Amino acid sequence: MSDSLTVPGSPAQTGASSRLSRRAKENLVGYLFLLPWLVGLFVFTVGPMLASAYLSFTNYDLLTPPEFNGLYNFQRLLTRDTRFATAASVTARYVLLSVPLQLVFALFVAAILNRGLRALSFYRAVYYLPSLLGGSVAIAILWKQVFGLEGLFNEFLAVFGIQGMSWIGTPSTALYTLIILRIWQFGSPMLIFLAGLKQIPPELYEAAEIDGARSVAKFFRITLPLLTPILFFNLIMQMISAFQAFTPAFIISGGGGGPADAVLFYTLYLYQQGFSNFRMGYASAMAWILLVVIAVFTAVAFLSSRYWVYYEDEAK
């Protein structure tokens, strides 16, 4: 029994202390490397989120100290603010139309590029370029010129004798010009789809061809099921991004959301309340409602994924 005891100062105890000391030093070095990220997390993310949560229950105009008003901001948003309802409706239509169309178009282009085209790297760079520039002010200004009364789109229609109009300035068409802009930014999901397509074993297609399967059957029975994890990822990322869209609507409408609030995105109305009307408490309440809405949509997507997302490991 005495052999199992560690005598103080013995080599065994000294070795254990040395190992603990070395492990503590390694942990300290790791925390030092993490320190800039941790500082950024708490100073620029967690701190502002907690401040926003508090301000959402206050009347705060950026100039005077906030005054606590309970649930008034949320009550007014959900029951009396008609422009809030308009912004929510416009954003919902934008998300529900632009995201599926963008993903379909991105998958279509990825399938074409996956056929072994020459200069594939060049095509990937060209198709990805709109995703890099699509959220910029310059592209929004260009889009406003393209679909304006004297824009390039009307010049194209004039070739066929069709009288154009201001597609940006007409309430019935303004939102759809922004949806087209969103679809045009297909580069990021396209690259992810292309990477997924290259991971599908070619033996599956060869076996399907031996069985007499045609291209459409191979796509819906092999390609699409194996791409559902990639599709699910792209869906979540693009949906969150679409809910947060701001720059195109701000530039095209001049910050007002017009014509007739046709492009009054949720984030644009939030910006108006916070930085134009100086109602930062009201804007904070809007921000938290948006967070809840995005969380609900994301949760629904995750819960539904068990019925349509196919993971190869599950079949083994």
Side-chain angles (χ1 to χ4, degrees):
M1 182 174 179
S2 59
D3 294 339
S4 62
L5 298 176
T6 302
V7 180
S10 65
Q13 186 183 41
T14 303
S17 300
S18 177
R19 286 193 298 270
L20 289 175
S21 177
R22 184 168 59 252
R23 184 178 301 175
K25 291 180 180 179
E26 293 174 352
N27 291 338
L28 179 60
V29 171
Y31 285 123
L32 287 176
F33 276 107
L34 284 174
L35 185 60
W37 181 85
L38 291 174
V39 171
L41 174 66
F42 286 100
V43 173
F44 297 108
T45 302
V46 177
M49 286 184 65
L50 295 176
S52 174
Y54 166 71
L55 292 176
S56 66
F57 298 101
T58 66
N59 179 23
Y60 181 45
D61 60 2
L62 295 176
L63 301 175
T64 58
E67 299 178 359
F68 185 79
N69 61 4
L71 297 175
Y72 175 79
N73 292 332
F74 296 95
Q75 180 183 2
R76 189 177 189 280
L77 278 168
L78 299 175
T79 60
R80 291 165 28 186
D81 192 340
T82 56
R83 293 197 78 206
F84 171 81
T86 300
S89 174
V90 169
T91 305
R93 283 186 287 144
Y94 176 76
V95 173
L96 294 176
L97 289 175
S98 66
V99 173
L101 292 175
Q102 182 195 46
L103 294 181
V104 169
F105 190 66
L107 179 56
F108 173 75
V109 175
I112 293 177
L113 294 180
N114 193 47
R115 293 180 174 271
L117 297 178
R118 294 181 179 180
L120 180 59
S121 299
F122 171 77
Y123 286 113
R124 283 187 300 190
V126 169
Y127 287 137
Y128 187 66
L129 189 61
S131 292
L132 295 177
L133 302 176
S136 66
V137 174
I139 293 300
I141 295 174
L142 174 63
W143 214 253
K144 187 175 182 179
Q145 296 299 321
V146 169
F147 289 98
L149 182 59
E150 300 178 356
L152 295 176
F153 187 65
N154 283 339
E155 291 183 4
F156 172 76
L157 295 178
V159 175
F160 302 96
I162 301 175
Q163 180 66 36
M165 62 180 184
S166 177
W167 305 91
I168 292 290
T170 303
S172 60
T173 58
L175 179 62
Y176 297 102
T177 61
L178 297 185
I179 291 175
I180 294 173
L181 175 58
R182 181 77 190 184
I183 297 171
W184 183 64
Q185 303 171 45
F186 66 93
S188 179
M190 181 270 295
L191 287 180
I192 298 174
F193 277 134
L194 184 59
L197 288 170
K198 292 188 175 299
Q199 299 301 315
I200 299 178
E203 296 82 7
L204 298 177
Y205 295 109
E206 295 172 0
E209 290 176 359
I210 293 175
D211 292 337
R214 298 187 178 185
S215 299
V216 175
K218 288 189 291 184
F219 176 80
F220 284 101
R221 293 182 179 274
I222 299 176
T223 305
L224 193 57
L226 293 179
L227 274 183
T228 48
I230 306 296
L231 178 61
F232 176 66
F233 173 79
N234 277 333
L235 173 65
I236 296 295
M237 299 304 295
Q238 298 306 316
M239 179 179 64
I240 294 175
S241 176
F243 269 113
Q244 298 174 339
F246 171 79
T247 303
F250 180 81
I251 297 300
I252 287 175
S253 68
D261 286 343
V263 292
L264 183 64
F265 284 2
Y266 192 98
T267 51
L268 178 56
Y269 187 49
L270 188 155
Y271 171 85
Q272 291 176 357
Q273 291 295 330
F275 296 98
S276 297
N277 301 333
F278 297 104
R279 302 177 64 185
M280 189 57 66
Y282 202 69
S284 297
M286 288 187 63
W288 279 94
I289 291 176
L290 179 61
L291 176 64
V292 171
V293 170
I294 293 176
V296 169
F297 272 81
T298 304
V300 170
F302 270 93
L303 291 174
S304 66
S305 65
R306 69 182 67 179
Y307 301 107
W308 60 274
V309 177
Y310 170 82
Y311 294 101
E312 188 177 359
D313 293 340
E314 295 177 357
K316 295 181 179 180

